[in-house]
Amino acid sequence: MNTQKLIISFFLFVCFGFSGTAQKTILFSKATVHIGNGKVINQGLVGVKGDEIILVENALTHNIDKAVWDTIIDLKGLDIYPGFIAPNSKLGLTEIDAVRATRDFKEVGTFNPHVRSLIAYNAESDVIGTVKTNGVFYTQATPEGGVISGSSSIMSLNAWNWEDAVLKTDDGIHLNWPNPISGGGWSGKSKSLNENYSTKLKEIRSFFEAAHAYSKSTDIFDQRFEAMRELFTGEKRLYIHGNQMRAILDIIDFQRELNINYPVIVGGYDAHKVTSELVTANVPVIIKGGHTLPSNEDDPIDLPYRLPYLLNEAGVLFCIQNSGRMETMNTRNLPFLAGTAMAYGLNQGEALSAITLNTAKILGIGEIVGSIEVGKKATLFVNNGNALDMRTNNIITGMINGEFIDLTNIQTDLYDKYQEKYKKDQQN
């Protein structure tokens, strides 16, 4: 514990010492470096200049020129991980689920592609601090509601405001696919075909066809269709939320018919049943993490836990999200969802990729974040333990876009406060 305190104190010194000197060079030396692409470098070197990673090497084969580096930090015995990314999240869009005034992720209306989560993002959310403590450094702020919810944006969790936080603006439109089958599961209702399914699909198709026709014209202006223009030019992703097998197959046909360049399925509970179709269509999946019950009473009890392994074995590109009840504050558990997937078949590199590089690739930011590689943003953290294991995850310091960040939050402040109280009580 004393050694850790010394290390933390040193990092605080570095943090304050380098404020305002963005182009200083820092070398993290002799740590175990988890790249994020499945590779691990024991005794690794990670060099940072400004907000960019400029060196990733093995200390055993690379000669260190000490004159090149302003600061060299010896991290022998510790681990370096890339910052985790939380896709499909309301983090920053809501503070307290039970207080309506703090929920800013849903607008009235059915087709709202022009709604932007970007401008609703609250960089000062108290929840964000509790999430950073476990290594989650980026989030996809995602709207909800209606048939088309609006546009998400990729945000940094270390920022003054939403303008400062944005990593990628309006990365994609979110479409909520109707359920072909209603009932079943734990509702107690028997399964039945959704009689309105075909009608709802026609409405969706009609809206998209109109938007597609609009994208080829510049004669008129429509705010909703304008927001969808880049779907058809290949600059924006279409995130289609659906879980049932029939829905997934219809989604694959839908994106193919409309020539959507970057479709992504969000949810994908039945994706393991149609892996060959997903691979052929090159459609990635953002799956819900495994800390949940099966959706159907006849499913294997461990299906939600094994789903990442099943998709990985089939060659489907996927990443892990944590949508559901209390998802905002539970974003801090994202690394442990990956850890659970590791316990059910994935190796450590595959599990780590499911919340780092795979996520970045699916969100269209894989060239700048998601792994510890030269040329990418210096977003990483130093850990004393396995970051995917809730029993040993212990972040010592973190860096987002080349800036050391404060890892304290309201919970750590209360812990320190009451630790001092009990120490005084014992002394008295």
Side-chain angles (χ1 to χ4, degrees):
M1 182 61 71
N2 291 333
T3 302
Q4 284 189 23
K5 287 183 177 179
L6 288 173
I7 294 174
I8 293 171
S9 297
F10 179 75
F11 275 119
L12 290 174
F13 168 78
V14 172
C15 179
F16 289 112
F18 282 105
S19 60
T21 55
Q23 294 303 311
K24 290 288 186 178
T25 55
I26 304 172
L27 179 66
F28 299 101
S29 175
K30 299 181 181 178
T32 299
V33 181
H34 303 263
I35 303 297
N37 59 4
K39 298 179 181 179
V40 178
I41 302 177
N42 296 315
Q43 298 286 310
L45 302 171
V46 178
V48 173
K49 182 178 182 180
D51 66 347
E52 184 179 337
I53 297 172
I54 61 172
L55 175 73
V56 180
E57 293 288 348
N58 191 319
L60 300 178
T61 58
H62 182 82
N63 293 323
I64 300 175
D65 183 357
K66 294 184 178 180
V68 173
W69 306 100
D70 296 298
T71 300
I72 299 176
I73 305 173
D74 189 347
L75 298 176
K76 188 175 182 180
L78 301 176
D79 295 75
I80 298 179
Y81 292 86
F84 303 146
I85 307 168
N88 186 39
S89 176
K90 296 196 291 286
L91 182 65
L93 302 179
T94 185
E95 196 70 5
I96 305 172
D97 288 346
V99 180
R100 184 176 181 181
T102 72
R103 304 197 303 262
D104 203 7
F105 54 84
K106 184 177 181 180
E107 295 291 342
V108 297
T110 304
F111 292 91
N112 294 318
H114 58 296
V115 169
R116 305 172 75 206
S117 65
L118 174 74
I119 57 177
Y121 180 78
N122 176 20
E124 297 294 341
S125 167
D126 283 338
V127 182
I128 286 176
T130 66
V131 169
K132 288 190 295 185
T133 304
N134 279 352
V136 181
F137 289 170
Y138 293 115
T139 183
Q140 182 191 33
T142 304
E144 290 187 1
V147 175
I148 297 181
S149 306
S151 298
S152 58
S153 289
I154 316 299
M155 315 297 286
S156 162
L157 300 190
N158 184 52
W160 291 101
N161 47 44
W162 67 263
E163 293 101 328
D164 188 38
V166 64
L167 182 70
K168 186 174 183 180
T169 302
D170 299 330
D171 67 290
I173 300 288
H174 289 260
L175 166 63
N176 296 302
W177 201 263
N179 289 327
I181 299 174
S182 58
W186 305 96
S187 65
K189 299 179 181 179
S190 58
K191 290 183 179 180
S192 61
L193 294 175
N194 182 352
E195 297 178 356
N196 297 321
Y197 182 67
S198 296
T199 301
K200 291 180 178 179
L201 288 193
K202 289 179 181 178
E203 292 174 355
I204 292 173
R205 188 179 299 278
S206 176
F207 188 86
F208 270 80
E209 287 175 350
H212 188 237
Y214 174 89
S215 69
K216 298 179 180 179
S217 171
T218 57
D219 297 335
I220 59 174
F221 177 82
D222 183 286
Q223 188 176 14
R224 296 188 303 170
F225 291 156
E226 190 65 33
M228 298 182 66
R229 181 186 292 274
E230 292 178 342
L231 282 179
F232 305 105
T233 59
E235 300 166 50
K236 187 178 288 187
R237 280 158 169 71
L238 178 61
Y239 298 96
I240 312 174
H241 297 243
N243 285 289
Q244 297 175 358
M245 182 175 68
R246 165 76 183 277
I248 295 173
L249 292 174
D250 287 344
I251 288 170
I252 292 173
D253 291 339
F254 175 80
Q255 61 84 26
R256 184 183 293 119
E257 291 169 9
L258 289 176
N259 198 28
I260 302 296
N261 288 342
Y262 296 108
V264 179
I265 291 176
V266 182
Y269 179 81
D270 283 341
H272 64 288
K273 299 178 181 179
V274 290
T275 54
S276 60
E277 289 82 356
L278 289 168
V279 171
T280 300
N282 194 29
V283 177
V285 185
I286 302 176
I287 61 174
K288 185 176 180 180
H291 294 179
T292 184
L293 291 170
S295 294
N296 304 304
E297 61 271 21
D298 54 349
D299 286 339
I301 191 65
D302 63 349
L303 178 58
Y305 300 86
R306 290 193 299 114
L307 184 57
Y309 169 77
L310 296 174
L311 296 185
N312 187 69
E313 285 296 288
V316 176
L317 177 62
F318 75 95
C319 67
I320 294 175
Q321 48 131 345
N322 71 302
S323 63
R325 295 183 62 188
M326 300 181 69
E327 73 176 57
T328 305
M329 54 286 300
N330 281 333
T331 305
R332 65 180 182 267
N333 291 326
L334 181 66
F336 311 137
L337 297 177
T340 299
M342 181 178 167
Y344 279 80
L346 296 185
N347 63 43
Q348 186 168 1
E350 293 164 344
L352 181 62
S353 294
I355 55 173
T356 55
L357 187 56
N358 280 7
T359 308
K361 288 179 179 178
I362 291 172
L363 300 185
I365 53 176
E367 296 298 318
I368 55 175
V369 296
S371 59
I372 301 175
E373 296 180 271
V374 172
K376 292 193 174 184
K377 295 282 188 182
T379 297
L380 50 87
F381 62 88
V382 179
N383 204 66
N384 186 16
N386 187 338
L388 306 187
D389 186 344
M390 64 180 297
R391 298 168 300 178
T392 63
N393 182 21
N394 181 24
I395 296 183
I396 293 174
T397 192
M399 174 180 280
I400 296 179
N401 298 341
E403 294 184 11
F404 285 99
I405 61 173
D406 181 10
L407 290 172
T408 61
N409 56 61
I410 188 172
Q411 295 175 354
T412 59
D413 290 344
L414 287 173
Y415 176 83
D416 292 339
K417 175 181 177 180
Y418 282 96
Q419 282 287 95
E420 289 299 316
K421 177 185 185 302
Y422 294 136
K423 285 180 182 179
K424 291 179 181 178
D425 289 345
Q426 291 174 355
Q427 291 171 357
N428 294 333

